Amino acid sequence: MMHEDSSSEAQPAPVGRAGLIAQSPAMQQVLEMARRAAQTDVSIMLLGESGVGKEVVSRFVHRSSPRAQAPFIAINCAAIPETLLEATLFGFEKGAFTGALQSAPGKFEQAQGGTLMLDEVTEMAAGLQAKLLRVLQEREIERVGGRKRIALDLRIVATSNRELQLAVKQGVLREDLYYRLSVFPLRIPPLRERREDILPLATSMLEHYAARFGLGLAPQLDAGAKQSLQSHQWPGNVRELENVIQRSAILCAQGVITVSDLFLQTFEVVAPSFPRLPAGDQAAMEAARAPVRRDLDAELADNERQLIADALRDSHGSKKLTAERLGISPRTLRHKLQRLREAGVELPPTHDG
């Protein structure tokens, strides 16, 4: 999420402005490429870490295109249960499944004439990826439970926070879908790589939250706060910056934000402290403590890895049975397996049965 400047939303603007705060050369280049792609109907793949502003760039593409007056529809493919995602995307006919009391259009139909953003498209199950590939190739859909083919007239903007070639190697993303989605890839740089944007973004956010919270004039950042914002690494990108600004706007005194109002922290595991012992006993205590100085998250992660590996072996690689043994949904299991493979953990071969 970069940040949208609502004050300039209605006015035509040079690239990098059109409702956006993006002053760094890196973002100016991304937006110029996005603007050019927007003049055609080419599918666009936006890549970048979580929180960098992929939906904001998607909306920029839509506003910059001949489809600007038509709908912009966004759907997070990772946030919808696997069993509901197909019907949500393609729509369904009355009686297609239990509870389908009347027909309903899906996101593809809702976006007709405009732009459909498929957020985190790489989190789709393999079977649904195959159906998406066919839709992209044929430019038509069938509702769940229906037989009528519905022609599509829209642009697809897909996003992912994964490295796509690695996702293909890991079996997370179909290779044929990778090539279909990667016609026009754009990487949005993380906030730490475009520090020229940090203070303009912060200023715009302060104005927004001052109005939202009824604070009167927008709080100002003092020199120390500016320096702190500029030097922070921003692992959560613009989303983290927005959280920090929102909190500091509320906490600051007399309309001035200081370093202490920002609460910027680097979270590290701190070893527990113990009363000092005599020198000999202290050395023995340190030696005894060394092998078990691990944080709780690491212990839990190790236990989870072992439980998943054991369940996979006991289920002979069946992801369905493994999920049942672990008491989690198949979708949750799939996400956990993806994270383990990304971390280089060796797991038994799996299948969908």
Side-chain angles (χ1 to χ4, degrees):
M1 169 176 53
M2 279 178 305
H3 190 71
E4 300 205 25
D5 182 359
S6 58
S7 64
S8 63
E9 180 85 6
Q11 300 296 326
V15 65
R17 293 296 299 169
L20 300 179
I21 303 294
Q23 296 187 6
S24 65
M27 276 310 305
Q28 289 287 336
Q29 182 178 16
V30 168
L31 295 178
E32 173 61 22
M33 294 178 67
R35 186 190 64 79
R36 293 183 183 182
Q39 306 313 305
T40 73
D41 273 342
V42 65
S43 295
I44 298 174
M45 185 73 199
L46 299 179
L47 303 169
E49 298 175 7
S50 179
V52 295
K54 294 187 284 292
E55 181 170 349
V56 176
V57 175
S58 296
R59 291 182 180 276
F60 172 82
V61 169
H62 178 68
R63 288 197 305 269
S64 302
S65 76
R67 299 179 178 274
Q69 301 306 312
F72 175 90
I73 302 294
I75 179 172
N76 187 327
C77 300
I80 298 177
E82 186 175 322
T83 53
L84 299 179
L85 186 55
E86 181 178 2
T88 302
L89 285 171
F90 304 128
F92 55 87
E93 297 292 352
K94 180 179 179 180
F97 49 83
T98 302
L101 302 180
Q102 61 184 12
S103 300
K107 298 298 183 182
F108 277 95
E109 288 183 72
Q110 294 173 30
Q112 283 281 39
T115 302
L116 175 62
M117 187 191 84
L118 300 174
D119 195 16
E120 304 303 345
V121 68
T122 46
E123 305 310 305
M124 280 186 180
L128 198 51
Q129 286 185 26
K131 293 181 180 181
L132 174 61
L133 176 64
R134 187 167 64 251
V135 169
L136 294 177
Q137 291 172 337
E138 300 177 3
R139 309 297 291 183
E140 60 183 20
I141 61 167
E142 290 182 7
R143 291 182 179 179
V144 176
R147 296 183 179 181
K148 178 184 176 181
R149 291 179 176 269
I150 302 171
L152 295 177
D153 174 26
L154 48 72
R155 176 205 299 283
I156 301 292
V157 178
T159 81
S160 178
N161 56 18
R162 292 179 178 272
E163 200 287 301
L164 295 189
Q165 291 182 340
L166 180 59
V168 171
K169 291 180 180 178
Q170 293 171 338
V172 174
L173 177 66
R174 290 174 59 105
E175 185 174 16
D176 46 8
L177 183 57
Y178 161 73
Y179 287 114
R180 178 64 62 172
L181 291 174
S182 297
V183 175
F184 203 98
L186 280 176
R187 175 184 175 271
I188 304 175
L191 190 56
R192 62 183 174 276
E193 293 180 10
R194 46 185 171 108
R195 295 188 179 277
E196 300 94 330
D197 294 336
I198 294 174
L199 293 183
L201 280 167
T203 300
S204 177
M205 291 172 184
L206 284 170
E207 293 172 355
H208 170 76
Y209 285 111
R212 177 176 170 181
F213 298 144
L215 301 178
L217 294 176
Q220 301 296 307
L221 297 159
D222 73 6
K226 290 180 179 179
Q227 178 59 40
S228 185
L229 292 176
Q230 289 278 42
S231 61
H232 189 60
Q233 290 302 302
W234 301 111
N237 292 294
V238 183
R239 185 177 295 120
E240 180 188 1
L241 174 62
E242 187 161 20
N243 291 341
V244 167
I245 293 300
Q246 182 175 355
R247 180 173 60 242
S248 61
I250 297 171
L251 294 177
C252 71
Q254 299 178 339
V256 178
I257 296 174
T258 66
V259 173
S260 62
D261 297 319
L262 298 176
F263 285 95
L264 290 176
Q265 299 181 31
T266 301
F267 294 97
E268 298 178 350
V269 176
V270 179
S273 59
F274 294 88
R276 298 299 297 178
L277 301 175
D281 293 339
Q282 181 68 28
M285 178 64 77
E286 291 292 338
R289 277 169 42 200
V292 296
R293 189 180 293 169
R294 301 190 62 201
D295 63 276
L296 179 59
D297 286 343
E299 292 287 352
L300 292 174
D302 281 350
N303 289 337
E304 181 179 85
R305 283 194 293 268
Q306 191 60 51
L307 285 170
I308 292 174
D310 290 345
L312 279 172
R313 279 190 290 269
D314 292 342
S315 302
H316 305 289
S318 168
K319 288 188 280 190
K320 179 180 179 181
L321 293 177
T322 298
E324 291 176 357
R325 285 176 179 269
L326 295 172
I328 59 178
S329 70
R331 184 178 183 85
T332 298
L333 175 63
R334 181 161 53 86
H335 289 165
K336 290 182 180 296
L337 291 175
Q338 288 171 0
R339 288 196 294 269
L340 291 175
R341 291 190 180 103
E342 289 174 356
V345 176
E346 292 188 9
L347 295 169
T350 62
H351 57 86
D352 291 329

